[in-house]
Amino acid sequence: MSQLQTLMHPKSDEPKSAIMEGQMRYSAITFHVDMTKPCGLVIPIGVMAEILFPTIYALGLIARTELSADELAVVSDVSKPIASKPFAYLATQFNEAWDALAPGRALRGLAEKHAYSALHFSVPETTPFYQLPAPLSAPLPMRATVRMFLGTLLDERMQTLIQQMQEPANAPQQQASPQQELLQLKAKAAAA
Amino acid sequence: MPRQSFRAFSADLEKLAQQWAGTAVTNEKWIDHGPFAQTESKPFKVSCGEVVGIAKPGEKKTDGICRAAHEKIASDLAFELGLPIPPVVLLDMGELQDAKRERHVSISAFAFPQPIPWDKATTLTEQHKNDASEVMSAMLAFETWVSCTDRKSDHVLVYFASSTDPVQLAFVDFAYAMSQQWGRADDPAGATHPYLPVQKDDATAKATVERIEQFDDEKVKAIVGRIPVEYLPEDKRALIIANLKYRKPRLRTLLGIK
């Protein structure tokens, strides 16, 4: 089941040029079973990403809705409220950051908040700039394009994260547990 | 009878703490695993054998704040006082290819397998909160002594494997303390204000203040004095030694303790 939320505001600025350059940043979210060990087990949880253009800002989240029984068995009681239903927890964090932080600050703010936590956000990575051709700079096609870019990035990074955390190549592939996604867009990005 | 120690670390971690409390700079080879968090000091993860830690700062800073030295001094003082700051050791990373990286860093060992920041620990029992109130009261006395004022609940890590276990706490991030706050040898810096939603335990605060008052000035000089000058210039060293001595008899007034 896919849960998709969008929030649209009227575009308030005309683009300064026909072609706009943006930034995309993402952070992988993982649960570390033992942070005191150099090679402790790491459970893939989700990905959060943001897109920043001069006139639009988008934030997205994709995460697992639950952990497997084997995974839950190694989660401590103190961590269970935030790790056992990852999407539910991360969605509240997502919404709080969306409401409270300026455009372009949400991902960094959440990564800082979880800096020392077993539920960990990787240091946000910036992906290459995307340039929109002029006809797509008009409001409606632009929002649809941004949503597409963001959704694609989330799916791709989530797949990569799960593959990286898989057992060695000769082990049977595990089916990924159910996931949910959440996207928000708003007009007029602040300076990053 | 007041508690002598508020540390609830594992036996292995306390063994490491004992070792690191006896040395300023490690001469072991550490592996750099890359950036770990997005916080101001740009920490990166490191390991040496089975020991894993967070090293900082991850980049050269031009603000003159002796982050690594402050972390080391706070950890060593806390070890002597039985307070729950994870062990810290200094590391010289040598000549680095990336000119933006800082060579002289501190390494803070991970305290718990699955730490959670205080405000994410939503299943704390009343007993956990009572225990935390004692620890918090002791730490406020210490943080006032070293003038670590930039405190919030994110700096308190919580762990218990089972909800019936006692709560374990670790206090982290002491970069912004001591010579970062003090401008002169008799600095009038105030108290650290409470930052966790727990009751204040006056008896524990008073007992901790008494222990700090009795802390040997020569021991302070030894802990601060052994930090190499690359981490702590001489003027800041003198400032820290002077203020740690100056503030001891003033803690009661700062904390409102009779």
Side-chain angles (χ1 to χ4, degrees), chain A residues 63-75:
Chain A
R64 297 168 63 184
T65 54
E66 62 195 16
L67 299 187
S68 69
D70 286 346
E71 289 168 332
L72 268 179
V74 295
V75 174

Side-chain angles (χ1 to χ4, degrees), chain B residues 72-224:
Chain B
K72 176 59 176 164
I73 294 166
S75 174
D76 286 352
L77 291 173
F79 178 78
E80 299 294 333
L81 288 165
L83 295 172
I85 298 177
V88 172
V89 75
L90 300 175
L91 172 68
D92 180 352
M93 296 184 61
E95 289 290 333
L96 296 165
Q97 277 190 333
D98 183 352
K100 288 189 270 185
R101 294 282 303 269
E102 173 57 58
R103 169 176 177 167
H104 298 104
V105 301
S106 63
I107 300 171
S108 179
F110 276 107
F112 308 129
Q114 294 178 14
I116 295 289
W118 173 272
D119 60 357
K120 307 295 180 214
T122 55
T123 56
L124 294 172
T125 63
E126 282 311 304
Q127 185 59 54
H128 288 155
K129 289 176 190 168
N130 289 341
D131 292 344
S133 124
E134 280 190 358
V135 182
M136 184 73 253
S137 299
M139 282 304 297
L140 278 178
F142 176 81
E143 287 167 350
T144 297
W145 185 34
V146 301
S147 285
C148 194
T149 51
D150 176 29
R151 304 307 278 165
K152 40 189 192 285
S153 59
D154 294 354
H155 295 130
V156 184
L157 303 178
V158 179
Y159 177 67
F160 46 83
S162 158
S163 56
T164 54
D165 292 340
V167 67
Q168 294 171 260
L169 301 179
F171 289 71
V172 298
D173 205 348
F174 288 83
Y176 278 57
M178 291 177 256
S179 66
Q180 189 269 337
Q181 293 285 324
W182 299 326
R184 61 190 219 214
D186 54 353
D187 199 284
T192 299
H193 296 295
Y195 53 92
L196 288 189
V198 293
Q199 295 280 359
K200 195 173 157 213
D201 185 318
D202 290 331
T204 301
K206 186 175 176 185
T208 307
V209 166
E210 284 168 358
R211 294 193 66 197
I212 294 172
E213 286 170 341
Q214 289 156 21
F215 199 94
D216 185 359
D217 288 337
E218 292 307 308
K219 185 77 185 173
V220 169
K221 277 188 198 163
I223 286 172
V224 182

Side-chain angles (χ1 to χ4, degrees), chain B residues 25-70:
Chain B
V25 186
T26 176
N27 56 12
E28 291 180 310
K29 273 262 194 248
W30 287 76
I31 299 169
D32 181 352
H33 296 277
F36 181 75
Q38 182 77 26
T39 53
E40 180 275 334
S41 61
K42 302 284 188 289
F44 53 105
K45 185 175 168 183
V46 294
S47 71
C48 177
E50 286 300 300
V51 180
V52 188
I54 295 295
K56 59 164 98 165
E59 63 184 13
K60 274 190 185 143
K61 300 285 191 184
T62 54
D63 55 16
I65 299 173
C66 304
R67 290 168 177 76
H70 294 157

Side-chain angles (χ1 to χ4, degrees), chain A residues 67-141:
Chain A
L67 299 187
S68 69
D70 286 346
E71 289 168 332
L72 268 179
V74 295
V75 174
S76 60
D77 279 358
V78 73
S79 300
K80 275 198 169 84
I82 67 173
S84 57
K85 300 282 183 196
F87 180 81
Y89 168 72
L90 289 167
T92 61
Q93 297 296 294
F94 177 103
N95 287 325
E96 281 174 17
W98 178 259
D99 289 337
L101 298 174
R105 302 281 185 208
L107 191 56
R108 181 181 175 140
L110 286 172
E112 281 182 7
K113 244 176 128 179
H114 294 83
Y116 298 104
S117 172
L119 185 76
H120 190 73
F121 281 58
S122 67
V123 175
E125 283 190 48
T126 301
T127 64
F129 282 66
Y130 284 74
Q131 291 184 310
L132 298 181
L136 295 178
S137 299
L140 281 178

Side-chain angles (χ1 to χ4, degrees), chain A residues 144-157:
Chain A
T145 304
V146 164
R147 194 181 294 123
M148 180 194 73
F149 282 157
L150 190 58
T152 303
L153 178 68
L154 288 173
D155 280 338
E156 180 203 45
R157 288 288 118 201

